[in-house]
Amino acid sequence: MTASSSARAAFGASMPHLDAASSEPLYRQVRAHIADAIASGVFDAPGRALPSSRHLATEFGISRNTVELAYQELIAQGIVESRPRSGLYATDRLPRRTTTKAPPTGPATTMDWGRRTRCRPQDDLPHAAKVVDWHEYPYPFVGGQIDADTFPVKAWLRALGEAHEPPHLHYSLRDSLDRDDPLLLEAICVEVLRARGITADPSQILITSGAQQGLFLVAQALLDRSSVVGVENPGYLDAWHIFSRAGATLMPMPVDQFGASIPAAPPRLDIAYVTPGHQHPTNVTMHPARRRELLELAERTDAVIIEDDYDSEFRFSGRPTRPLKAMESAGRVIYLGTFSKFLAPGLRLGFIVADAELIDILRDQRRYLIRHPPGQLQRALALFIMQGEYHRQLRRLRTQFKQKWDIAWANADRHLPWPVGTGPTGGLSLWLTGPARLDAAVLARRAAKHGVLVEAGEGFFLGPHRTRNNVRLGFTSINERAIPRGIEILGGVARTLLAERPD
Amino acid sequence: MTASSSARAAFGASMPHLDAASSEPLYRQVRAHIADAIASGVFDAPGRALPSSRHLATEFGISRNTVELAYQELIAQGIVESRPRSGLYATDRLPRRTTTKAPPTGPATTMDWGRRTRCRPQDDLPHAAKVVDWHEYPYPFVGGQIDADTFPVKAWLRALGEAHEPPHLHYSLRDSLDRDDPLLLEAICVEVLRARGITADPSQILITSGAQQGLFLVAQALLDRSSVVGVENPGYLDAWHIFSRAGATLMPMPVDQFGASIPAAPPRLDIAYVTPGHQHPTNVTMHPARRRELLELAERTDAVIIEDDYDSEFRFSGRPTRPLKAMESAGRVIYLGTFSKFLAPGLRLGFIVADAELIDILRDQRRYLIRHPPGQLQRALALFIMQGEYHRQLRRLRTQFKQKWDIAWANADRHLPWPVGTGPTGGLSLWLTGPARLDAAVLARRAAKHGVLVEAGEGFFLGPHRTRNNVRLGFTSINERAIPRGIEILGGVARTLLAERPD
């Protein structure tokens, strides 16, 4: 029997259907189909090998990588084994079905959890529509993700290894209740914050499970149903959800080329949430005059400022700007930092810098949420920073991102059917404004079918006045070499789309 | 100059004071004193070595380990360097002070964060008084911590290493928004839950940052100010805080030798929170008749049961008991699991098993709290489990814990000045009841001065009726060899204490 007919025999008369539009990634669908075939007993005959990934890829009409990933997982689970110089075989780990479908395991649930849920969020904000399996696309211009090639695997594993030796091992393993790793707090004060012009001591820092947990903790502590939070518009959707779920009303602050515009005298303002380093999503750096205006407004209204500084160090012309936190000493600014852009978002490590009194309040809350972010990641990051690897990685990324940034702008200028202008001075994405008749959501959907993932700008707007002609191209996730071709394809799709809808 | 006089010269006429009662661990105090001396410039003379750890230990009157840990951190920070065959020297990384005290860096804060805090928890429950630096005591009988020697460093680092290779690397690094690692979900279903008699599929599982986050998520979703939660008394203090902060009223269910007693017909019951495997803190296993009673009560009152199964697999006589989750199919039981006892609490990995509909609600909440527990820990744990290391570790720990359990009971019987009885059939601590006149809080304080850390039972009780004569000896944190001497010292302290207060 040839491998190809073996594949067909395994799956019955016709190959199972793969749904490319499903939220379930392709390789998982393939994996499920293989597991299904194994469970049905087709491969139980002695010496009966599973179809090779090459043949399955041809039969399914997908890439061989996808099939290999499916097999990798099945091997890791012990469902499939690889015999050297022979091929892949089903083990007996997966119970075989005697009927085609497994019977249900018990009566259906009668609980109606929707009815039981008390604190259902009331907001009608959209959720950020992110593609989780962006790495299966050849041209992923998505925000907030990193190209695995840029991750310093060796240095990070070395730090993790050291974190598992005495005297560090104890700190990696212990339940520290509400405390953080003292070494990481020191490392952040000395190596991370000083370079940004911020003076802080360990009592003013709390480690968070991503900057997002920082937002949650501050919102939970300082907001209630009477609160008003000023937010940049367009802005960071996840933050809006968090404020809104804490009961607050959102007050949009429109963004122009100088950053968020500062309202004159709102009747009430509890928190102003800003991204002054590079505004999310437009990458505009907040002008010094605006910064002063914002600090004055906060003082006048007795409001607190949350400064979300996720990437101010990635400025490609001129020096990085000074954080708001370094411009005032009253303690009015709560500063959020993250290691997602320097290392990886999957690490889930960020930090809050604020007055020690507030940090204590937030620490007490965190104790009953998660206790503390994992000890071994805290200790490994501390060692990584102290050994100079953080600054090395920062320098490496700055060079790499600058290159990608230049390539992306040059290709956008060459391939997109509208003038792209010069752009701001930094940031990790391109925020592009097409002609007024461009529907970027349609562009994004169509481009995805050609393997190009971009984000429609519409989703970053609050309220009814959403511009539909913005498109965002993140470049931290895509490999440098893929950028030109990706933008060329996007340009082609955009040209066709615009031709369908002339002015 | 001898090393000893060098130490004295460095710190001035008299050695600085170390405060053994401070919450700041000793080695941190030592570290601060050394850093202080370096900043003052005493060690700037060329060729001037820092005092050796042996001499500093003598001068401070503390263990050499403690000084070495202080130096380790200073070296890791680049403040001290070790020159082979010569000794330790101050680098120029720490700025030198010209005045004795650094000037304040700005005006004092004016923010009054206490006043600004909206959602201040209203509960008057005590916080669990845990000693975080228990490892600096020679006889730490504390709960919820592990002896670092029992952690499978090699196998865990191997799994972490693999998690940083393709195809796993992508899953370790990515921001997966609200999703968990599919491989870990499978591993838990197949390798962890089946052995406990629980049938679940990946849609019924959510990975949490410790079982504690599971409690928080369920409380946030299902409780409000009108809710009533039945809790075991004595019980798990941290859970009470979480329910109480979610607004619920706690209804104590007294614990006897069969587990929690089930109330006949409470006017309202939203959640019953129980630890049936081994009741926390008494280690009683809930009797099958009580389990049935509890399931019936839940059905009658339409309540939900949270089953916190942190260690049911550590039963030392007879087979592990079947979880409540395996005894019903209506979906009324929300099951919480943790890897804190099998690996390490510092890992912060646990999971919830519940109806898929509820899991979706909790997943949505988690998205705006932390997104997801770190990808690399999820993937490493998945590989660790799938390679059989989880079951290997479980078998190893079962043997070890059984041995410690036997040693602890035998020594309690020999050394404590009251009859200890036979104890329950498992669990990771001894819950001991002294004579009625024993004040266990005083016992714990005095024993700590002799290097023996135990927990007074009083802190585990809810409401005014707290028995004061219970003491809890956890044995997961202490090395097996230290158990006999530790209990002998405790017995001596107890004897003296009881002699002071005759009947």
Side-chain angles (χ1 to χ4, degrees):
Chain A
M1 179 169 2
T2 66
S4 167
S5 69
S6 146
R8 282 178 190 275
F11 294 111
S14 66
M15 288 298 286
H17 172 68
L18 298 182
D19 180 4
S22 160
S23 69
E24 182 86 352
L26 278 183
Y27 84 96
R28 296 278 302 169
Q29 297 181 39
V30 173
R31 195 188 140 292
H33 287 307
I34 300 173
D36 225 54
I38 292 172
S40 73
V42 210
F43 296 109
D44 285 352
R48 173 82 193 271
L50 293 161
S52 76
S53 50
R54 188 170 346 160
H55 279 93
L56 268 192
T58 314
E59 292 292 324
F60 277 119
I62 55 176
S63 94
R64 202 172 147 189
N65 274 349
T66 306
V67 182
E68 267 166 8
L69 190 58
Y71 269 136
Q72 282 266 15
E73 282 201 9
L74 289 164
I75 291 170
Q77 285 175 268
I79 292 167
V80 166
E81 63 178 344
S82 168
R83 299 189 195 151
R85 282 177 307 280
S86 169
L88 299 169
Y89 293 84
T91 64
D92 53 4
R93 286 284 284 284
L94 202 67
R96 304 297 186 260
R97 280 197 304 272
T98 44
T99 55
T100 330
K101 281 279 161 200
T105 50
T109 173
T110 54
M111 295 298 289
D112 189 357
W113 293 104
R115 180 181 58 80
R116 284 172 192 267
T117 304
R118 312 275 167 200
C119 313
R120 213 67 198 267
Q122 298 297 317
D123 64 54
D124 54 354
L125 297 166
H127 292 283
K130 296 274 186 188
V131 176
V132 173
D133 284 297
W134 52 270
H135 75 304
E136 296 186 355
Y137 289 77
Y139 307 104
F141 291 96
V142 292
Q145 302 283 4
I146 62 148
D147 175 8
D149 286 350
T150 63
F151 186 79
V153 170
K154 259 175 111 173
W156 180 247
L157 283 179
R158 200 166 50 233
L160 270 173
E162 268 180 66
H164 286 80
E165 288 166 15
H168 307 298
L169 182 60
H170 166 75
Y171 296 89
S172 291
L173 302 181
R174 72 172 177 175
D175 171 3
S176 63
L177 292 177
D178 60 354
R179 300 216 209 154
D180 286 314
D181 186 343
L183 207 56
L184 180 57
L185 297 177
E186 294 263 356
I188 289 174
C189 289
V190 176
E191 301 292 336
V192 178
L193 292 176
R194 272 194 204 163
R196 300 185 191 171
I198 296 173
T199 309
D201 70 59
S203 70
Q204 295 167 319
I205 298 181
L206 189 74
I207 309 297
T208 53
S209 182
Q212 179 162 31
Q213 191 182 33
L215 282 172
F216 178 83
L217 289 171
V218 172
Q220 200 190 34
L222 302 184
L223 298 177
D224 63 18
R225 303 216 153 269
S226 67
S227 308
V228 175
V229 179
V231 296
E232 298 165 330
N233 191 25
Y236 183 43
L237 204 58
D238 285 10
W240 301 345
H241 275 281
I242 292 169
F243 300 136
S244 176
R245 286 173 181 217
T249 304
L250 303 180
M251 179 187 76
M253 305 187 292
V255 174
D256 60 24
Q257 74 269 36
F258 305 116
S261 57
I262 311 304
R268 174 165 188 163
L269 183 66
D270 295 273
I271 290 180
Y273 168 72
V274 288
T275 53
H278 295 115
Q279 201 271 332
H280 180 92
T282 66
N283 299 313
V284 172
T285 298
M286 192 183 269
H287 192 275
R290 284 280 168 85
R291 289 173 188 244
R292 280 190 302 270
E293 261 183 80
L294 177 61
L295 287 166
E296 281 161 22
L297 172 74
E299 199 167 329
R300 215 161 52 239
T301 54
D302 196 19
V304 166
I305 296 171
I306 301 179
E307 177 177 33
D308 190 346
D309 183 9
Y310 59 100
D311 78 341
S312 69
E313 275 165 326
F314 295 117
R315 199 166 190 223
F316 307 124
S317 62
R319 286 174 52 80
T321 49
R322 233 169 113 78
L324 289 168
K325 182 76 189 157
M327 294 173 69
E328 66 101 48
S329 56
R332 201 172 282 288
V333 177
I334 300 170
Y335 179 89
L336 303 184
T338 177
F339 291 97
S340 291
K341 316 295 168 186
F342 305 104
L343 283 167
L347 202 59
R348 309 309 306 134
L349 285 175
F351 56 90
I352 309 176
V353 186
D355 280 352
E357 189 194 354
L358 178 61
I359 290 293
D360 281 344
I361 293 168
L362 303 178
R363 181 196 310 288
D364 170 72
Q365 286 181 1
R366 192 193 62 177
R367 173 181 179 155
Y368 295 106
L369 289 176
I370 61 159
R371 292 190 181 242
H372 53 86
Q376 63 185 281
L377 297 185
Q378 291 204 35
R379 180 53 57 124
L381 181 57
L383 295 167
F384 184 88
I385 295 173
M386 297 228 160
Q387 287 154 4
E389 294 294 345
Y390 165 76
H391 282 294
R392 208 161 295 147
Q393 170 72 355
L394 183 56
R395 282 194 300 274
R396 202 183 295 129
L397 285 182
R398 235 190 234 140
T399 311
Q400 256 178 41
F401 288 167
K402 167 79 166 86
Q403 238 164 50
K404 284 177 154 189
W405 165 263
D406 287 339
I407 294 173
W409 278 107
N411 280 280
D413 193 51
R414 182 179 320 155
H415 296 299
L416 295 185
W418 63 77
V420 297
T422 52
T425 53
L428 302 176
S429 63
L430 276 57
W431 175 260
L432 302 169
T433 307
R437 71 183 194 279
L438 177 75
D439 187 333
V442 177
L443 175 65
R445 271 200 302 278
R446 285 206 196 163
K449 290 192 182 141
H450 293 80
V452 180
L453 282 181
V454 298
E455 291 169 318
E458 198 181 338
F460 298 93
F461 284 90
L462 183 62
H465 303 294
R466 299 152 183 266
T467 66
R468 305 170 61 90
N469 57 336
N470 291 112
V471 61
R472 188 166 175 255
L473 276 64
F475 56 77
T476 53
S477 46
I478 189 168
N479 191 286
E480 188 181 308
R481 287 184 305 277
I483 294 177
R485 179 69 186 134
I487 297 184
E488 192 183 344
I489 296 173
L490 181 69
V493 175
R495 201 163 286 116
T496 310
L497 179 62
L498 289 173
E500 288 169 18
R501 306 183 186 196
D503 300 286
Chain B
M1 182 172 353
T2 66
S4 166
S5 69
S6 146
R8 282 175 190 277
F11 293 112
S14 65
M15 288 298 283
H17 172 69
L18 297 183
D19 180 4
S22 160
S23 70
E24 181 85 351
L26 278 182
Y27 84 96
R28 296 276 304 168
Q29 298 180 40
V30 173
R31 196 187 140 290
H33 288 307
I34 300 173
D36 225 53
I38 292 172
S40 74
V42 209
F43 296 109
D44 284 353
R48 174 82 193 271
L50 293 162
S52 75
S53 50
R54 191 179 337 167
H55 279 94
L56 269 192
T58 314
E59 292 292 324
F60 277 120
I62 54 177
S63 93
R64 205 173 144 186
N65 273 349
T66 306
V67 182
E68 266 166 10
L69 189 58
Y71 269 135
Q72 282 265 15
E73 283 202 7
L74 289 164
I75 291 170
Q77 286 175 268
I79 291 168
V80 167
E81 62 179 344
S82 169
R83 300 191 196 151
R85 285 176 307 280
S86 169
L88 298 169
Y89 294 84
T91 64
D92 53 4
R93 286 285 284 282
L94 202 68
R96 302 298 185 259
R97 281 198 302 273
T98 45
T99 55
T100 331
K101 282 278 160 200
T105 50
T109 173
T110 55
M111 295 299 288
D112 190 357
W113 293 104
R115 180 182 57 80
R116 284 170 192 267
T117 305
R118 312 274 168 203
C119 314
R120 213 70 199 265
Q122 298 298 316
D123 64 54
D124 54 355
L125 297 166
H127 291 284
K130 296 276 185 186
V131 176
V132 174
D133 283 299
W134 54 270
H135 74 305
E136 296 186 355
Y137 290 76
Y139 308 104
F141 292 96
V142 293
Q145 302 283 4
I146 63 147
D147 175 8
D149 286 350
T150 63
F151 186 78
V153 170
K154 259 174 112 171
W156 179 247
L157 284 178
R158 200 167 48 232
L160 270 172
E162 267 179 67
H164 286 80
E165 287 167 16
H168 307 298
L169 182 60
H170 166 75
Y171 296 89
S172 290
L173 302 181
R174 71 172 176 175
D175 171 4
S176 63
L177 293 177
D178 60 354
R179 300 215 210 155
D180 286 314
D181 186 344
L183 207 56
L184 180 57
L185 298 177
E186 294 263 357
I188 289 175
C189 289
V190 176
E191 301 291 335
V192 178
L193 292 177
R194 272 195 205 165
R196 299 184 191 173
I198 296 172
T199 309
D201 69 59
S203 70
Q204 295 168 319
I205 298 182
L206 190 74
I207 308 298
T208 53
S209 183
Q212 179 160 31
Q213 191 182 32
L215 281 172
F216 178 83
L217 289 171
V218 173
Q220 201 191 32
L222 302 185
L223 299 177
D224 64 19
R225 303 215 151 269
S226 67
S227 309
V228 175
V229 179
V231 296
E232 297 164 331
N233 191 27
Y236 183 44
L237 204 57
D238 286 9
W240 300 345
H241 275 282
I242 292 169
F243 300 137
S244 177
R245 287 173 180 216
T249 304
L250 303 180
M251 179 187 75
M253 305 187 291
V255 173
D256 59 25
Q257 73 269 36
F258 305 116
S261 57
I262 310 305
R268 175 167 185 163
L269 183 66
D270 295 273
I271 290 180
Y273 168 72
V274 288
T275 52
H278 294 115
Q279 201 273 333
H280 181 92
T282 65
N283 299 313
V284 173
T285 298
M286 191 183 271
H287 192 276
R290 283 281 169 84
R291 291 175 187 241
R292 281 190 300 270
E293 262 183 77
L294 177 61
L295 287 166
E296 281 161 23
L297 173 73
E299 199 166 331
R300 215 160 53 236
T301 54
D302 196 19
V304 165
I305 295 171
I306 301 179
E307 175 176 35
D308 190 346
D309 183 10
Y310 58 100
D311 78 341
S312 69
E313 276 165 325
F314 295 118
R315 201 169 187 219
F316 307 125
S317 63
R319 286 174 51 80
T321 49
R322 234 169 111 79
L324 289 169
K325 182 74 186 160
M327 294 172 69
E328 66 101 49
S329 56
R332 201 173 282 287
V333 177
I334 299 171
Y335 180 89
L336 303 184
T338 177
F339 292 97
S340 291
K341 316 295 169 189
F342 305 104
L343 284 166
L347 201 59
R348 311 306 308 131
L349 285 175
F351 56 90
I352 309 175
V353 186
D355 279 352
E357 188 193 354
L358 177 61
I359 290 293
D360 280 344
I361 293 168
L362 303 178
R363 181 195 310 288
D364 171 72
Q365 286 182 1
R366 192 192 63 176
R367 174 180 179 155
Y368 295 106
L369 289 176
I370 61 160
R371 292 189 182 241
H372 54 87
Q376 63 186 281
L377 297 185
Q378 291 203 36
R379 181 53 57 124
L381 181 56
L383 295 168
F384 184 88
I385 294 173
M386 297 227 161
Q387 286 153 4
E389 294 294 344
Y390 165 76
H391 282 294
R392 208 161 295 146
Q393 171 72 355
L394 183 56
R395 282 194 300 272
R396 202 183 296 130
L397 285 182
R398 235 190 235 142
T399 310
Q400 255 178 43
F401 287 167
K402 166 78 166 87
Q403 238 164 52
K404 284 178 152 189
W405 164 264
D406 287 339
I407 294 173
W409 278 107
N411 280 279
D413 193 51
R414 183 179 320 155
H415 297 298
L416 295 186
W418 63 77
V420 296
T422 53
T425 52
L428 302 177
S429 64
L430 276 57
W431 175 261
L432 302 169
T433 306
R437 70 185 195 280
L438 177 75
D439 188 332
V442 177
L443 175 64
R445 271 200 302 279
R446 285 206 196 164
K449 290 193 181 138
H450 292 80
V452 181
L453 282 182
V454 298
E455 291 169 317
E458 199 181 338
F460 297 93
F461 283 90
L462 183 63
H465 304 294
R466 298 152 183 266
T467 66
R468 304 170 62 90
N469 56 338
N470 291 112
V471 60
R472 187 167 176 255
L473 276 63
F475 56 76
T476 53
S477 46
I478 189 168
N479 191 286
E480 187 180 307
R481 288 184 306 278
I483 294 176
R485 179 72 186 131
I487 296 183
E488 192 183 346
I489 296 173
L490 180 70
V493 175
R495 202 163 286 116
T496 311
L497 178 63
L498 289 173
E500 287 168 20
R501 307 185 186 194
D503 299 286

